[in-house]
Amino acid sequence: MFTEELKAFKRLGFRHVLLQVLNFASVIASGLMIWKGLGIITNSESPIVVVLSGSMEPAFYRGDLLFLTNPANQLYQTGDITVYKIPGADIPIVHRVLETHDTKPKQSSKTASISAVPLSRQRLLTKGDNNYVDDIELYKGLEWLERKHIVGKVRGFLPYVGYVTIAMNDFPQLKYALLGGLGLLALIQRE
Amino acid sequence: MHSIFSRINNVSAFLSSCMMALLAAIALSSFVFTADPHGDLAISSIKVVSSNARRYPNKKQDLAFVHFNVTADLTPLFHWNTKQLFLYLEAEYTNKQGVKNDVVIWDRIVRRKEDAVINFAGKNKYMFRDISSTFKNSPPASYSLKYNVMPYVGLLTYGEAARTTEAVAFPPTQSRL
């Protein structure tokens, strides 16, 4: 089955292989650029996330895709669904804000500039819609969640699409098969 | 040129772009529905009780118990791209240290249009406590019912369905309920 392909591969020569490698590399590079560009526009380190747990059911199920923004000059409000990452925990959590407590920063004449009114210091408490209690136990000893822990708030929703990544994490063979297959196709394709 | 592989490739690419266009159209169509329903919210009683703090058993912490009535007809918010409504009742006040507080004291998930006529009387579901551990000298709080429309696909939208006509003061702390 592959002898035909291999023959074609030999006939094409070295330059063609290099060209295909270049194409492949440019696809990967543009993907990375789009991801990082989105990160800059939305001011979030990870503007698209996949839901990994059922704690926000029935709103979000495992494998749903969420689009985040993190406006630098806006405070979070109750009812916002935030994605947060506690230092020391490896998985970010998607939960809804239950309490906000905004403390106005102290007015000091030295640092007061015309343009930037400093944001209030915000202390937050979150809870998953599907959980009975709030998240204090998940905060690893922190009393409140703060702005620096938050990756972004959910603005858009696309169901099921993220399940591909969950499947690839659960079955690593699938990941290697997919990557290998794509790489091979990119090298062999003639157009 | 017309190998089986290129045919499969073309068909699946076409199908997925059609799918994406359809999903985008559905997501955009929800901007056409601009319902803004309003209901009524009344606070029937508030009690403030001194209790033990959650994490520090020998520290005192005031808890507020709020009884309220809420009626609202939120059926206009259900359209073909509404997966569910998340309703929440929150208290808003600025305490005497100048900290602005928004605290959700009750919530409900509405998944069907038939359940979207809200008529509820009861008390807070979540602990209502001040960050400074006491409600003493705290200015009155206003209460509001807000909603979050969650779509099958697209953007999440928020709104306010009801608000107390005037702020409700916190009563003095009592030692037991």
Side-chain angles (χ1 to χ4, degrees):
Chain A
M1 180 188 162
F2 285 115
T3 47
E4 189 91 340
E5 299 286 344
L6 273 177
K7 244 181 230 165
F9 193 65
K10 271 178 192 155
R11 204 168 50 230
L12 287 169
F14 188 59
R15 272 167 172 269
H16 186 83
V17 173
L18 279 184
L19 197 67
Q20 293 289 30
V21 170
L22 197 66
N23 274 339
F24 198 54
S26 86
V27 167
I28 288 172
S30 53
L32 200 67
M33 275 162 67
I34 290 171
W35 176 253
K36 287 293 169 191
L38 266 180
I40 290 170
I41 293 168
T42 58
N43 188 33
S44 173
E45 60 178 281
S46 166
I48 300 173
V49 295
V50 176
V51 178
L52 295 175
S53 79
S55 62
M56 283 297 279
E57 279 173 22
F60 305 145
Y61 289 88
R62 247 165 84 84
D64 291 347
L65 215 60
L66 306 176
F67 299 88
L68 312 181
T69 64
N70 184 25
N73 52 359
Q74 264 177 40
L75 291 171
Y76 296 102
Q77 287 175 329
T78 51
D80 283 347
I81 303 166
T82 55
V83 177
Y84 64 87
K85 213 168 170 180
I86 298 295
D90 40 337
I91 300 174
I93 299 172
V94 187
H95 278 179
R96 198 184 288 273
V97 176
L98 193 70
E99 291 184 17
T100 66
H101 304 279
D102 313 341
T103 315
K104 282 243 167 59
K106 294 231 165 56
Q107 288 290 341
S108 62
S109 53
K110 267 181 193 168
T111 53
S113 61
I114 319 140
S115 58
V117 179
L119 275 185
S120 300
R121 173 172 172 249
Q122 201 166 31
R123 281 171 287 187
L124 305 167
L125 181 68
T126 54
K127 176 184 163 294
D129 287 3
N130 199 21
N131 295 351
Y132 286 106
V133 291
D134 54 43
D135 288 353
I136 287 194
E137 303 305 324
L138 299 176
Y139 293 168
K140 303 208 164 192
L142 293 173
E143 198 88 347
W144 301 97
L145 205 63
E146 296 197 40
R147 197 180 176 87
K148 60 183 179 219
H149 303 130
I150 291 182
V151 178
K153 67 173 173 190
V154 178
R155 301 303 296 272
F157 171 76
L158 190 63
Y160 309 127
V161 178
Y163 214 89
V164 185
T165 63
I166 290 184
M168 281 199 284
N169 267 333
D170 290 355
F171 309 101
Q173 300 94 326
L174 189 71
K175 182 163 62 185
Y176 299 129
L178 207 70
L179 276 178
L182 278 179
L184 208 67
L185 279 178
L187 286 177
I188 285 173
Q189 243 172 20
R190 253 161 288 176
E191 284 107 289
Chain B
M1 208 81 286
H2 297 285
S3 66
I4 189 82
F5 172 73
S6 72
R7 281 170 203 269
I8 291 174
N9 191 18
N10 280 341
V11 167
S12 61
F14 181 66
L15 275 182
S16 59
S17 33
C18 284
M19 190 74 170
M20 280 298 152
L22 189 66
L23 289 178
I26 292 172
L28 285 175
S29 75
S30 31
F31 288 108
V32 177
F33 305 98
T34 51
D36 185 23
H38 282 282
D40 291 306
L41 171 64
I43 305 298
S44 40
S45 78
I46 301 183
K47 276 180 189 158
V48 177
V49 178
S50 185
S51 155
N52 291 332
R54 181 165 162 190
R55 279 193 158 178
Y56 310 99
N58 31 15
K59 220 172 89 179
K60 284 291 174 190
Q61 166 82 57
D62 281 358
L63 297 179
F65 292 89
V66 183
H67 287 256
F68 56 90
N69 283 309
V70 58
T71 51
D73 180 9
L74 301 174
T75 42
L77 291 174
F78 272 87
H79 51 77
W80 68 340
N81 193 21
T82 306
K83 183 183 191 177
Q84 66 166 38
L85 290 181
F86 182 81
L87 300 175
Y88 52 105
L89 194 118
E90 69 170 23
E92 301 157 13
Y93 67 103
T94 305
N95 69 4
K96 69 173 195 289
Q97 287 88 3
V99 180
K100 193 180 163 299
N101 304 286
D102 290 350
V103 180
V104 174
I105 59 173
W106 176 83
D107 65 12
R108 174 181 278 182
I109 295 171
V110 181
R111 302 180 69 185
R112 299 185 307 160
K113 195 172 188 170
E114 296 83 66
D115 301 332
V117 180
I118 308 299
N119 195 351
F120 180 82
K123 71 171 175 59
N124 50 327
K125 204 164 139 184
Y126 304 120
M127 243 194 264
F128 182 14
R129 63 211 208 278
D130 190 73
I131 198 161
S132 73
S133 84
T134 175
F135 284 106
K136 203 178 167 190
N137 298 331
S138 194
S142 59
Y143 296 80
S144 62
L145 178 73
K146 297 187 173 178
Y147 59 79
N148 171 209
V149 184
M150 311 190 73
Y152 284 109
V153 58
L155 294 180
L156 277 67
T157 49
Y158 290 85
E160 186 179 298
R163 179 172 279 276
T164 48
T165 43
E166 53 200 20
V168 186
F170 291 104
T173 310
Q174 52 196 75
S175 58
R176 57 177 62 212
L177 201 60

